[in-house]
Amino acid sequence: MLLDHLAIESNGVPIYVQLRAQIAAALGRGALAPGARLPTMREVAVALKIDLNTVQRAYAELERDGLITLTRGRGSFVTHTPPREARAGVRETADRLAAQAAAQARAAGIGLDELTAALARLKAAR
Amino acid sequence: MLLDHLAIESNGVPIYVQLRAQIAAALGRGALAPGARLPTMREVAVALKIDLNTVQRAYAELERDGLITLTRGRGSFVTHTPPREARAGVRETADRLAAQAAAQARAAGIGLDELTAALARLKAAR
DNA sequence: TGTATTGTATGGTAAAACTCATACAATGGC
DNA sequence: GCCATTGTATGAGTTTTACCATACAATACA
C-alpha cells in the first residue's frame, strides 16, 4: 500500500514538496499501475498527521504535472499516459543524495565501503 | 569552478536547503579537495542573486556537519579528512550516517536499493 | 431521493523563509 | 598602523508554509 511508504521528515523541505516527490517517485517506479486509485487526501492527512490543505496542494501539483487526475466524489487516480520525465529525476536525486552521504562520511573519516556496509545492514534490519 | 555547478530552482525547496545540498553533493563527488577554498559567501550571493544571509545559513549548516570550516577574514575551506584510526566507534558512526542518508532518501521518495545503487555508481566514478 | 464520500475552497493565525540594509569583528597584506 | 576582504550578527518587512475550522460541490450508491 502506498500509504505505508509515505513518511515526512523535518529536513527543512516543505511537507507538500516531500509528499509530491514521494508520490511522483512511487508512480515513476510503477508502484501504482495506471488507473489505480490513490489514497484519499483525508486518509493521507490523517495517516501522516498533516493538514488536508497541505495534501491538497501536493495532489494539485501532481495533477498539474499530469501524473494523476482528481475527480470530486470519486477520488484520485494514476494517469494512463504519465509523462516521460517522471522516472528521469529519480536517478539524479539518488545520485545527489549518495554524493551528500559520501561527503558526510569523508568528513567523519568513514570510507565509502564502510558506508555501503552500513546501508546493507540497515536494509537487512527490515 | 564550484560556482558554475550551483543553480537555484523555484520548486518549493528553500534556497538554503538547495544550496546546502548542492555544495555537499559537489564535495562528495570530489569536486573540491580537502583544504580547498570555497567561493566567498558574497560571491555566491551575487552569482545566484540571493541574499548574503541565505548563503550564510547554508554555509553555517555545512560547518555544523563538519564538511567545511569558516574563518573570518580568510574564507571557507573544505575540512581535512581525519586519520583513519582516529575513532573507535567507526561502525556506529557509519550506521548513524547510513540511517541519516536513508531518511533523507525516504523523504525524497528514494528507496534503500536505489540509494545503494547510486553509492555504487559514485564509488565506480573514482 | 437521500446521504455518505471525496475533492475544492475560504478565512484566520502562527511560524518559517527570504530579502534588504546596516553594522561589527577577525584576518592578511601594504 | 591602515585598510580591504571575509565571515558574523541584527532588525525590519514581505512572502510562503502549515495548521485549524468550516463550508461548498460533484460523485456514487442504497
Side-chain angles (χ1 to χ4, degrees):
Chain A
M1 193 196 277
L2 176 63
L3 263 187
D4 302 327
H5 295 69
L6 299 180
I8 299 302
E9 307 282 336
S10 46
N11 304 334
V13 180
I15 296 176
Y16 80 93
V17 175
Q18 293 186 46
L19 190 55
R20 154 160 63 82
Q22 289 177 35
I23 296 178
L27 297 196
R29 195 179 297 121
L32 267 76
R37 190 174 191 242
L38 294 169
T40 294
M41 291 183 182
R42 285 176 172 84
E43 286 175 352
V44 175
V46 168
L48 301 185
K49 296 189 179 70
I50 60 179
D51 196 78
L52 174 61
N53 296 298
T54 305
V55 181
Q56 200 253 323
R57 176 157 189 186
Y59 272 48
E61 298 200 355
L62 286 171
E63 185 190 38
R64 175 175 55 70
D65 294 343
L67 295 184
I68 65 177
T69 62
L70 309 178
T71 311
R72 181 152 47 178
R74 293 193 59 222
S76 313
F77 303 87
V78 181
T79 307
H80 284 87
T81 59
R84 293 300 299 168
E85 66 270 10
R87 169 102 196 175
V90 174
R91 188 180 178 119
E92 266 182 28
T93 306
D95 284 339
R96 194 173 46 74
L97 288 173
Q100 277 180 251
Q104 300 261 153
R106 188 206 58 82
I110 304 293
L112 284 191
D113 299 318
E114 291 160 314
L115 182 60
T116 304
L119 267 182
R121 281 195 294 273
L122 222 172
K123 195 193 308 185
R126 306 220 161 170
Chain B
M1 195 196 275
L2 176 62
L3 266 187
D4 303 326
H5 295 72
L6 300 180
I8 299 302
E9 300 174 17
S10 52
N11 48 10
V13 180
I15 296 176
Y16 81 93
V17 174
Q18 292 187 49
L19 191 55
R20 153 160 64 81
Q22 288 181 26
I23 295 179
L27 298 194
R29 295 193 183 96
L32 269 76
R37 191 175 191 246
L38 294 167
T40 293
M41 292 183 182
R42 285 177 173 82
E43 286 175 353
V44 175
V46 168
L48 301 184
K49 297 189 179 69
I50 59 179
D51 196 78
L52 174 61
N53 296 296
T54 306
V55 181
Q56 199 251 322
R57 177 158 188 186
Y59 272 49
E61 298 200 356
L62 287 171
E63 185 191 38
R64 179 175 52 70
D65 290 344
L67 297 189
I68 65 178
T69 62
L70 310 178
T71 312
R72 181 153 47 177
R74 293 193 59 221
S76 312
F77 303 87
V78 182
T79 51
H80 290 93
T81 304
R84 288 292 291 108
E85 69 277 298
R87 297 190 39 164
V90 173
R91 187 181 178 116
E92 284 82 1
T93 306
D95 284 338
R96 188 175 48 77
L97 286 178
Q100 234 174 272
Q104 286 288 119
R106 182 177 177 130
I110 307 295
L112 278 188
D113 299 317
E114 290 159 316
L115 183 61
T116 304
L119 198 57
R121 281 196 295 273
L122 181 69
K123 205 189 310 184
R126 297 240 195 148

